[in-house]
Amino acid sequence: MSTLADRGDASRAQLRAEVALLASAITPAWPIHTFIATNPLSGLERMPFDEAIIAIGQTGARGVMGEQFWRSEHARGRITRADLMGAIERRIPAVNSLPAVAFGGQDVSTVDLLIDDLLLGISPSMPVCRAKTAAERVGQAVAGTVDDLTVKWVSAFVGAPTTPWAMPGSEEGFYTAWRQLAVLDPAIPPRVQRQLRRLPETEEAAVLDALDSLRVPLRHRREYMQIHLNRLPGWVAHIRWRMDNRGDFDLLGYLAMRLSYEAALIGPDVSFLIDADVVDLATGTPTGPAHRAAHLAWTFGHPLDASELDGVAGALALLPAVDRSGLWLDAYEAHYRDGLLRSLDRPGALQDASRPAAQLAFCIDTRSEGIRRHLEESGAWETFGFAGFFAVAIRYQDLAGGAPTALCPVLIRPRNDVKERPAPGTERQANRQVDRLRAIANVSDAFHAAQKNMLSSFALAEATGWLAGTVAAARTFSPRAWSTFRSRVSGRATHAAPTVLSVQEGFTFEERALFAEVALTMMGLTARFARLVVLCGHGSSTENNPFQAALDCGACGGQRGTPNARTAAAILNGTEVRTHLVRKGIDIPDDTWFIAGDHDTATDRVRLLDLHLVPGTHKDDVKALESDLLDAGARLAVERCATLPGAPKRLSTAAAARHVRTRSADWGQVYPEWGLAGNAAFVIGPRAMTHGLNLERRVFLHSYDAEIDRDGTALENILTAPMVVAQWINAQYYFSTVDPERYGAGTKTIHNVTAGIGVLSGGSGDLQSGLPWQSVRVGESLVHEPMRLLTIVEAPRERISAIIACTPLLRTLFDNGWVALTARDAPGHPWHRYTPQGWAPWFAEGDTE
Amino acid sequence: MHIAFGGYGFAVVLLLLLVTPLLASFFSCVGGSRTPEAAALLSVLTVFFAFSCAVVLAIASAMGELPAASLTTKGGDVVLGVVADRTGVVLLLLVTGVSAIVQAFARRYLRGDPRAWVFFAGAGLLASATAAIVTSVTLVGVAVGWTAAGVAVVILLAMYPHIPAARDGVRRFARAFLVGDAALWAGVVLALVMWGNVDVRSIGDRIIASGAMQPLVQCVACVIVVAAVARSAGPPFHRWLPSTLAAPTPVSALLHAGVVNAGGILLIRLSPVFTASTIATSIAFSLGALAAVYGTAVMLTKPDVKGSLVYSTMGQMGFMIMTCGLGAFTAALFHLVAHAMYKSTLFLGSGSAIAAQRRLFAAPPSRTAGRARRVLVSSFAVVLALTAVAASAWALYPLTGSQDTPALLVFPAATAMTIAWTWMRSTATAASAIVATFLLLLGSASYVAAVAALGEFVGPSLPGSVGATLSPWLLSPVVLALLGATVLHRLPAVIHRAVYVRVMSAGHVRMHAYPPVPPRQSVDQLADWQRYPLGGGA
């Protein structure tokens, strides 16, 4: 074994560079309390989607649904023959000009043959992980042991801040702490302990030593480390996040531990592993065109001679086996997309020039579509869609004065501090409220201290068990009553003091003015202001749900977005800001009042906030709006109850509203709401495009008016920020559905919160990433239809092309097929599909009906 | 054969309680996979019915009735029988009450789960089996209930057989189950040989009549301890409980509320046999104490919520067995009932950990006190807690006929101290001192009163000790060991590290046996495809 002395700085630097390269391909996993939807394949976005799917297939992961699913979707009419034909024509443009093929005594067109093969031919086999670590080659016991030890130490280190008896030395960084402790581990055999005693001081040296000991050839080193990183992808993704945010734990330290364990367990004799010739590992069902042709002939009972077989094989070769599932996906998506675009092709709704009763801006979140639709049905309310942080990236501290939270998309650093303060004259009430919160925190502190103390934990269980039993009964049998009781105790419901936000201190005038101008322009709201303009943030009230952040506002870092809405409203009500806006051509009438709202997506209640600030002249407007919001929410609840598992069907509006409230307070409920399940498209355009349509809460809606945004700045902003977030969400849902074990979090029922940063399935093993089974399915049937995002823009196509041409991020997403893009220049114009080669008509000639 | 009823119609209520959950379980097995919603609803309704039966029985029992039903021979010897004595009704209330909560919870929690019917099948069987343990009058009846409960646990743990960790959990439990049940049945056979099919309640008289210290009696007492410790996951059977987390949350709730404490139930019900042997009580005390120290120590190192709860249970069950070893059966009963509710609630709510963390972040910052004030606060807390517990005990203990050793009060005193100290640490004002004094006095008084009331209620039905009880002074090393952990991090780093690694490592379920050094021949046998290449990674 070579030692540290042999190694130059160069080889260590090279190793660091290689690990950094590996790290760049890993999507970081945010801690679960700020659950951030990400594309788990974001590291592969520079490849076309189809190639990325093949690449992850090599690691045993699934990137697209299996053939069995597609065929059953075809059988129930969700994919039609026309969809398949369209998808084949797009993939093989010349397919219709090919001569027919003789098959069973008839001339069959290539398209028909390909469809027959898709429906009845050989299915490609499931992906299998072929790359193996040395430990796996020796046996599953060794590989499993390496994983066990890895999980043990990684959880101990990551969990140190939340564990009563923390890992000693964890403040010195992972590798150092582990190296000190690992040699004392009684659970490993003495010969392994002896090996570990010789561990070098730096992680680079440890990795290099271990790789030497395992005789991994230099040219395969990176792939080898990659294989190790693929073994526990959840923990690796968390470490990847930690690298950027804490810096005490990186992939090098992680690899140093894993490889050292592996080398020590296998021992010095690895001669059998040195056989670096690449052997072809192809196994499974034969999928060559000749096999497929023979199989097809056999299925139809046609005896084929050699020349016919050749002909059929030649036709089938146009669609290699690896491309089949991609084609199915295209057809599946096309079915939905064609329908959606046709429904948008209506005679343009007449723009009503009269002043609306109120205007409400909701988050672009697909769930807003439901409440907007139902609200618009009830009256002259006009709605808008805008990113739920309302373009104010703030660090927010509420009245209690605890740790501030960043309320903005995670890729933005919050720029402004906003604090909640008691409204003038209510300081005493506010103080009482904070005192009450402090008392509750102290009680809970005292309970936890007694629970985590060896001597006091016994009688604590005896003393509080009786109470706990009562609480459990209340929470189980009357969730709503319990939640009311609890909010009474905390004073949230009854004694909430009126507060104001420190907007003047948090923002300079220039910041406020710029924000107001940009936000209103992006929304397309620069004229015709109503007397009330509501900016409505959202969040979800759920109980006993580690994934609650996944249901909150993604644009607010997985938190409730109300403080952002309150901040934005406060800025827009400022007289200085309004004076500035007039100079910019945005004239907000004096009788327009901005007000913040909060949409609870679990209960569909919309509350209007800061009512103590509303001028007396507007009280009646507020009252009218509140009553319509209540009705709209109840009607939406009826709609939602139809698909919520276990919800009674055919409920009255009042009963449905009650049911969703009970559900949201129920600690045994694993389906409190469907979140963004079903999301499939992102519409950028005025509400007139979608007004009056039932989009089934599947579409992100961002308001945009191409007339106002002549230079395309707003459109560029929308495409590069909200649309990208929507794509992350879409990809998260997509991959959590197609591979629930690898990219999803598995079933909620065995989840076990660990280290305060994520969940395990059971007592040990990998950190789960992505969404749980219960977010996308009920039992075996899918609730989320796994489709990639379709972005629909109503704007001049040259403007869109220009933006894409100068934005590499958008080129990557659109050109590589991660997101589809379609546009029309103006209402009534035909839809065009974006392709890397240029715009192509979406519907063929004569197909527009 | 004759069927005899005691306590009028209440005997029928008792029989219904025993049988209905079993029927629901049977329905789940037969039709649960086809009509999951109906099976779940039926299970919940039946367990509710069982709970109402338990309430009726409790009222009857409080009024002095003794509901009983038995199958007797012509000569009047009991073949099989059930009785709901005072201890019995308390435990029936617990078993059916916790089952009702957990099953109602599971009906929502497991909705859409294709294996939900397995849960309801297992849960119904478990409820009936535990009720049988609690009420059977014959040793054979107790043992049948015991084994049926074990079978129910196997069913519940096998809910997700596709998960390797779940299969591992079943295997580990099955091993403890086999040893424990073999021990119990061996004891039952010995007892049958010695005394015939005797009524559990009259064993004490037989033993006293036959001269207590027969080696056979000692044997029976010891094997009962083995069975109890195996079910309660005490050492050396401590491996199975941590490996059960691959089963859904409601299974854990049932396991920690109604299965592990069966060890205590067994020792309480068979206390005349168990206490007849000082060897048996010493073994129970030592294994219990060991589990209490080991379990709580490992708990402190667990970063995961459920893992921490599992080891907490192990410690608590150790405490319960240890209390039984001291002959303090009222205290053990009090502990096992309260802990069952405590732990099942914590399990069901284990998903709230993230919300709790969010609340912690958002809570008003606590005011930090200076050094002098901290010293003042801690001494005040110590004095206050000791006074509160001592005063309550002094005032209330004489009112009851409890035979339990007052030494056990050291535990509530420690809890009171910790709570008082933590409370005062952040709000060290005169007002909060007054609040703390008031609440602590109230808390201690209610605690002691509750223990005393339970003692009063079940007293007549608790058989009590036959042989000599162990000295309460044995508790002192246990208390010292438990205290020791709080100063561990002050010890030199070398010692701290070594202890930490041992404890932390002990708390990690090992899924794979450590491989031996790879033998040469196996290496040569590697097929071609098992050799390199290394390529192919994404």
Side-chain angles (χ1 to χ4, degrees), chain A residues 134-136 138-148 231 261-262 265-266, chain B residues 512-516 518:
Chain A
E136 285 172 280
V138 177
Q140 279 308 317
V142 186
T145 302
V146 173
D147 287 347
D148 279 355
R231 284 285 293 191
Y261 271 134
E262 183 177 46
L265 280 165
I266 292 177
Chain B
H512 302 271
Y514 282 111

Side-chain angles (χ1 to χ4, degrees), chain A residues 340-347 824 828-831 843 848:
Chain A
L340 177 64
L341 291 178
R342 283 214 173 84
S343 71
L344 296 179
D345 264 336
R346 315 164 293 166
R824 69 177 178 196
H829 287 232
W831 291 108
F843 295 109
T848 39

Side-chain angles (χ1 to χ4, degrees), chain A residues 34 38 72 74 226 228 234 262 280 339 375 407 427 441 445 490 527 588 623 720 741 753 796 807 824:
Chain A
T34 58
T38 46
S72 72
H74 176 266
Q226 176 71 61
H228 266 276
E262 183 177 46
D280 184 10
L375 182 66
L407 297 178
E427 285 81 3
D445 237 25
S490 69
I588 302 178
K623 234 175 233 143
T720 51
E741 301 301 327
V753 175
T807 319
R824 69 177 178 196

